[in-house]
Amino acid sequence: MLNCIDNSGATVVECIANMRMKRHARIGDRIIVVVQKSRNLGEAGPGAGPGSVTAAKVRRGDIRHAIVVRTVNKVQRKDGMVVKFDDNACALIGKNGEPIGTRINGVVGAELRDKQWSKILSLASMHV
């Protein structure tokens, strides 16, 4: 189970396949997920007017591609620093590689830069 940290409408997803064909996914890996829990349809953001309704882009049960942005497993960088996050998290993407959400909430790993996921880094508020 992974947290989904973008504003696509999903909150919890489950990994069903790793595109690397290895045992564990690392930061920057593309995985296939199924949405387990999604935000309510018609949920308006803060400051929205009385008639505004936002449609969720994904629903429960949808199968989507995602990029792993945080892992609990330790990652050692080339400079010797070891990075470990508190949870496993991902950001949903389309089959063409474009992010589904328009904003990423929370911290993402800087290893995304090495794997050419700069679009996800630009949407994130902070990367470590």
Side-chain angles (χ1 to χ4, degrees), residues 88-123:
N88 298 317
C90 68
L92 297 181
I93 60 170
K95 292 199 177 193
N96 58 356
E98 292 294 316
I100 294 176
T102 57
R103 187 174 52 222
I104 293 182
N105 305 319
V107 179
V108 299
E111 287 79 9
L112 295 173
R113 185 180 297 114
D114 300 334
K115 304 222 177 153
Q116 277 75 39
W117 291 110
S118 58
K119 178 72 174 176
I120 293 177
L121 276 174
S122 66
L123 293 175

Short mmCIF file of all heavy atoms in Angstrom, two decimals, residues 88-123:
data_model
loop_
_atom_site.label_atom_id
_atom_site.label_comp_id
_atom_site.label_asym_id
_atom_site.label_seq_id
_atom_site.Cartn_x
_atom_site.Cartn_y
_atom_site.Cartn_z
N ASN A 88 5.75 5.08 2.25
CA ASN A 88 5.89 4.83 0.82
C ASN A 88 4.85 5.69 0.10
O ASN A 88 3.67 5.68 0.49
CB ASN A 88 5.65 3.36 0.49
CG ASN A 88 6.66 2.46 1.17
OD1 ASN A 88 7.84 2.76 1.19
ND2 ASN A 88 6.19 1.36 1.71
N ALA A 89 5.27 6.40 -0.92
CA ALA A 89 4.34 7.29 -1.61
C ALA A 89 4.62 7.28 -3.11
O ALA A 89 5.73 6.95 -3.54
CB ALA A 89 4.46 8.72 -1.07
N CYS A 90 3.60 7.62 -3.89
CA CYS A 90 3.74 7.65 -5.33
C CYS A 90 2.93 8.81 -5.90
O CYS A 90 2.12 9.42 -5.21
CB CYS A 90 3.28 6.33 -5.95
SG CYS A 90 1.52 6.05 -5.81
N ALA A 91 3.17 9.10 -7.18
CA ALA A 91 2.41 10.09 -7.94
C ALA A 91 1.90 9.40 -9.19
O ALA A 91 2.66 8.71 -9.88
CB ALA A 91 3.28 11.28 -8.30
N LEU A 92 0.61 9.55 -9.49
CA LEU A 92 0.01 8.88 -10.63
C LEU A 92 0.40 9.58 -11.93
O LEU A 92 0.47 10.81 -11.99
CB LEU A 92 -1.51 8.87 -10.50
CG LEU A 92 -2.08 8.10 -9.32
CD1 LEU A 92 -3.59 8.15 -9.34
CD2 LEU A 92 -1.61 6.67 -9.30
N ILE A 93 0.66 8.78 -12.96
CA ILE A 93 0.99 9.32 -14.27
C ILE A 93 0.13 8.62 -15.31
O ILE A 93 -0.42 7.54 -15.07
CB ILE A 93 2.48 9.14 -14.62
CG1 ILE A 93 2.87 7.67 -14.61
CG2 ILE A 93 3.36 9.92 -13.68
CD1 ILE A 93 4.23 7.40 -15.17
N GLY A 94 0.04 9.22 -16.48
CA GLY A 94 -0.65 8.57 -17.60
C GLY A 94 0.29 7.62 -18.31
O GLY A 94 1.48 7.53 -18.00
N LYS A 95 -0.24 6.92 -19.30
CA LYS A 95 0.60 5.97 -20.04
C LYS A 95 1.68 6.67 -20.84
O LYS A 95 2.71 6.10 -21.16
CB LYS A 95 -0.25 5.11 -20.95
CG LYS A 95 -1.14 4.18 -20.17
CD LYS A 95 -1.64 3.06 -21.00
CE LYS A 95 -2.45 2.13 -20.10
NZ LYS A 95 -2.73 0.88 -20.72
N ASN A 96 1.47 7.96 -21.16
CA ASN A 96 2.47 8.71 -21.91
C ASN A 96 3.55 9.31 -21.01
O ASN A 96 4.51 9.89 -21.50
CB ASN A 96 1.81 9.82 -22.72
CG ASN A 96 1.03 10.78 -21.86
OD1 ASN A 96 0.91 10.59 -20.66
ND2 ASN A 96 0.49 11.82 -22.46
N GLY A 97 3.41 9.17 -19.68
CA GLY A 97 4.41 9.66 -18.75
C GLY A 97 4.11 11.02 -18.15
O GLY A 97 4.89 11.50 -17.34
N GLU A 98 3.00 11.64 -18.51
CA GLU A 98 2.62 12.93 -17.94
C GLU A 98 1.87 12.72 -16.64
O GLU A 98 1.01 11.84 -16.55
CB GLU A 98 1.73 13.71 -18.92
CG GLU A 98 2.45 14.15 -20.18
CD GLU A 98 3.52 15.18 -19.88
OE1 GLU A 98 3.27 16.10 -19.10
OE2 GLU A 98 4.62 15.05 -20.44
N PRO A 99 2.15 13.52 -15.60
CA PRO A 99 1.43 13.39 -14.33
C PRO A 99 -0.06 13.68 -14.50
O PRO A 99 -0.45 14.57 -15.26
CB PRO A 99 2.09 14.42 -13.43
CG PRO A 99 3.40 14.71 -14.07
CD PRO A 99 3.22 14.50 -15.53
N ILE A 100 -0.89 12.92 -13.79
CA ILE A 100 -2.34 13.13 -13.84
C ILE A 100 -2.72 14.35 -13.01
O ILE A 100 -3.54 15.16 -13.41
CB ILE A 100 -3.08 11.88 -13.35
CG1 ILE A 100 -2.84 10.74 -14.34
CG2 ILE A 100 -4.57 12.14 -13.20
CD1 ILE A 100 -3.44 9.42 -13.93
N GLY A 101 -2.11 14.49 -11.83
CA GLY A 101 -2.39 15.63 -10.97
C GLY A 101 -1.62 16.87 -11.40
O GLY A 101 -0.66 16.79 -12.17
N THR A 102 -2.05 18.00 -10.88
CA THR A 102 -1.39 19.27 -11.21
C THR A 102 -0.55 19.79 -10.05
O THR A 102 0.13 20.80 -10.20
CB THR A 102 -2.43 20.34 -11.58
OG1 THR A 102 -3.35 20.48 -10.49
CG2 THR A 102 -3.18 19.93 -12.83
N ARG A 103 -0.59 19.11 -8.91
CA ARG A 103 0.17 19.54 -7.74
C ARG A 103 0.56 18.31 -6.94
O ARG A 103 -0.20 17.36 -6.83
CB ARG A 103 -0.69 20.49 -6.90
CG ARG A 103 0.04 21.13 -5.76
CD ARG A 103 -0.83 22.17 -5.06
NE ARG A 103 -2.12 21.59 -4.69
CZ ARG A 103 -3.28 22.21 -4.83
NH1 ARG A 103 -3.33 23.41 -5.33
NH2 ARG A 103 -4.40 21.62 -4.47
N ILE A 104 1.76 18.34 -6.37
CA ILE A 104 2.23 17.24 -5.53
C ILE A 104 2.45 17.79 -4.14
O ILE A 104 3.21 18.73 -3.95
CB ILE A 104 3.51 16.61 -6.10
CG1 ILE A 104 3.17 15.92 -7.42
CG2 ILE A 104 4.11 15.63 -5.12
CD1 ILE A 104 4.32 15.23 -8.08
N ASN A 105 1.77 17.19 -3.16
CA ASN A 105 1.85 17.63 -1.77
C ASN A 105 2.88 16.80 -1.04
O ASN A 105 2.78 15.58 -1.02
CB ASN A 105 0.49 17.48 -1.09
CG ASN A 105 -0.60 18.20 -1.83
OD1 ASN A 105 -0.40 19.29 -2.31
ND2 ASN A 105 -1.75 17.56 -1.95
N GLY A 106 3.86 17.45 -0.43
CA GLY A 106 4.83 16.73 0.36
C GLY A 106 6.19 16.68 -0.30
O GLY A 106 6.45 17.26 -1.34
N VAL A 107 7.07 15.93 0.34
CA VAL A 107 8.47 15.84 -0.06
C VAL A 107 8.65 14.67 -1.02
O VAL A 107 8.04 13.61 -0.84
CB VAL A 107 9.35 15.64 1.19
CG1 VAL A 107 10.80 15.53 0.83
CG2 VAL A 107 9.13 16.78 2.17
N VAL A 108 9.50 14.84 -2.02
CA VAL A 108 9.85 13.76 -2.93
C VAL A 108 11.36 13.59 -2.93
O VAL A 108 12.10 14.51 -2.57
CB VAL A 108 9.33 14.01 -4.37
CG1 VAL A 108 7.83 14.13 -4.39
CG2 VAL A 108 9.97 15.24 -4.97
N GLY A 109 11.83 12.42 -3.31
CA GLY A 109 13.26 12.15 -3.34
C GLY A 109 13.93 12.80 -4.54
O GLY A 109 13.38 12.85 -5.64
N ALA A 110 15.16 13.26 -4.35
CA ALA A 110 15.90 13.92 -5.42
C ALA A 110 16.40 12.93 -6.47
O ALA A 110 16.89 13.34 -7.52
CB ALA A 110 17.07 14.70 -4.83
N GLU A 111 16.26 11.62 -6.20
CA GLU A 111 16.67 10.61 -7.18
C GLU A 111 15.83 10.66 -8.44
O GLU A 111 16.22 10.09 -9.47
CB GLU A 111 16.59 9.21 -6.56
CG GLU A 111 17.66 8.90 -5.55
CD GLU A 111 17.41 9.49 -4.18
OE1 GLU A 111 16.31 10.01 -3.93
OE2 GLU A 111 18.32 9.43 -3.35
N LEU A 112 14.70 11.34 -8.39
CA LEU A 112 13.87 11.49 -9.58
C LEU A 112 14.60 12.27 -10.67
O LEU A 112 14.34 12.07 -11.85
CB LEU A 112 12.56 12.20 -9.22
CG LEU A 112 11.62 11.46 -8.28
CD1 LEU A 112 10.46 12.34 -7.88
CD2 LEU A 112 11.12 10.20 -8.93
N ARG A 113 15.51 13.15 -10.28
CA ARG A 113 16.26 13.93 -11.26
C ARG A 113 17.17 13.02 -12.10
O ARG A 113 17.30 13.20 -13.31
CB ARG A 113 17.10 15.00 -10.57
CG ARG A 113 17.81 15.92 -11.53
CD ARG A 113 18.65 16.98 -10.83
NE ARG A 113 17.82 17.87 -10.03
CZ ARG A 113 17.87 17.94 -8.70
NH1 ARG A 113 18.70 17.18 -8.02
NH2 ARG A 113 17.11 18.78 -8.04
N ASP A 114 17.76 12.02 -11.46
CA ASP A 114 18.64 11.09 -12.18
C ASP A 114 17.86 10.22 -13.16
O ASP A 114 18.41 9.78 -14.17
CB ASP A 114 19.39 10.20 -11.20
CG ASP A 114 20.25 10.99 -10.24
OD1 ASP A 114 20.66 12.12 -10.61
OD2 ASP A 114 20.52 10.49 -9.13
N LYS A 115 16.59 9.97 -12.87
CA LYS A 115 15.79 9.10 -13.73
C LYS A 115 14.90 9.89 -14.69
O LYS A 115 13.94 9.36 -15.23
CB LYS A 115 14.93 8.19 -12.86
CG LYS A 115 15.76 7.39 -11.87
CD LYS A 115 15.32 5.99 -11.77
CE LYS A 115 16.24 5.23 -10.84
NZ LYS A 115 15.59 4.12 -10.21
N GLN A 116 15.22 11.16 -14.89
CA GLN A 116 14.53 12.03 -15.87
C GLN A 116 13.03 12.21 -15.58
O GLN A 116 12.22 12.24 -16.49
CB GLN A 116 14.70 11.52 -17.30
CG GLN A 116 16.00 11.93 -17.95
CD GLN A 116 17.20 11.17 -17.44
OE1 GLN A 116 17.11 9.98 -17.21
NE2 GLN A 116 18.32 11.85 -17.27
N TRP A 117 12.67 12.35 -14.32
CA TRP A 117 11.30 12.68 -13.93
C TRP A 117 11.25 14.11 -13.44
O TRP A 117 10.72 14.42 -12.37
CB TRP A 117 10.77 11.72 -12.86
CG TRP A 117 10.56 10.34 -13.37
CD1 TRP A 117 11.28 9.24 -13.05
CD2 TRP A 117 9.57 9.90 -14.29
NE1 TRP A 117 10.81 8.15 -13.71
CE2 TRP A 117 9.75 8.52 -14.48
CE3 TRP A 117 8.55 10.54 -14.99
CZ2 TRP A 117 8.95 7.76 -15.33
CZ3 TRP A 117 7.76 9.78 -15.82
CH2 TRP A 117 7.95 8.42 -15.99
N SER A 118 11.81 15.04 -14.20
CA SER A 118 11.89 16.44 -13.77
C SER A 118 10.51 17.11 -13.72
O SER A 118 10.33 18.07 -12.98
CB SER A 118 12.81 17.23 -14.70
OG SER A 118 12.35 17.14 -16.03
N LYS A 119 9.53 16.61 -14.49
CA LYS A 119 8.18 17.17 -14.43
C LYS A 119 7.57 16.95 -13.05
O LYS A 119 6.92 17.84 -12.50
CB LYS A 119 7.32 16.49 -15.51
CG LYS A 119 5.91 16.94 -15.54
CD LYS A 119 5.78 18.34 -16.07
CE LYS A 119 4.31 18.70 -16.23
NZ LYS A 119 4.12 20.06 -16.65
N ILE A 120 7.81 15.79 -12.44
CA ILE A 120 7.30 15.52 -11.10
C ILE A 120 8.04 16.38 -10.08
O ILE A 120 7.44 16.90 -9.14
CB ILE A 120 7.41 14.02 -10.78
CG1 ILE A 120 6.46 13.25 -11.70
CG2 ILE A 120 7.09 13.74 -9.33
CD1 ILE A 120 6.52 11.77 -11.54
N LEU A 121 9.35 16.56 -10.26
CA LEU A 121 10.11 17.43 -9.35
C LEU A 121 9.61 18.87 -9.42
O LEU A 121 9.57 19.56 -8.40
CB LEU A 121 11.60 17.38 -9.71
CG LEU A 121 12.40 16.24 -9.12
CD1 LEU A 121 13.80 16.25 -9.68
CD2 LEU A 121 12.42 16.30 -7.62
N SER A 122 9.23 19.34 -10.59
CA SER A 122 8.77 20.73 -10.72
C SER A 122 7.40 20.92 -10.07
O SER A 122 7.09 22.01 -9.61
CB SER A 122 8.73 21.14 -12.19
OG SER A 122 7.75 20.41 -12.87
N LEU A 123 6.58 19.86 -10.02
CA LEU A 123 5.26 19.97 -9.38
C LEU A 123 5.33 19.87 -7.87
O LEU A 123 4.43 20.32 -7.17
CB LEU A 123 4.32 18.88 -9.91
CG LEU A 123 3.92 18.96 -11.37
CD1 LEU A 123 3.09 17.74 -11.74
CD2 LEU A 123 3.17 20.23 -11.65
#
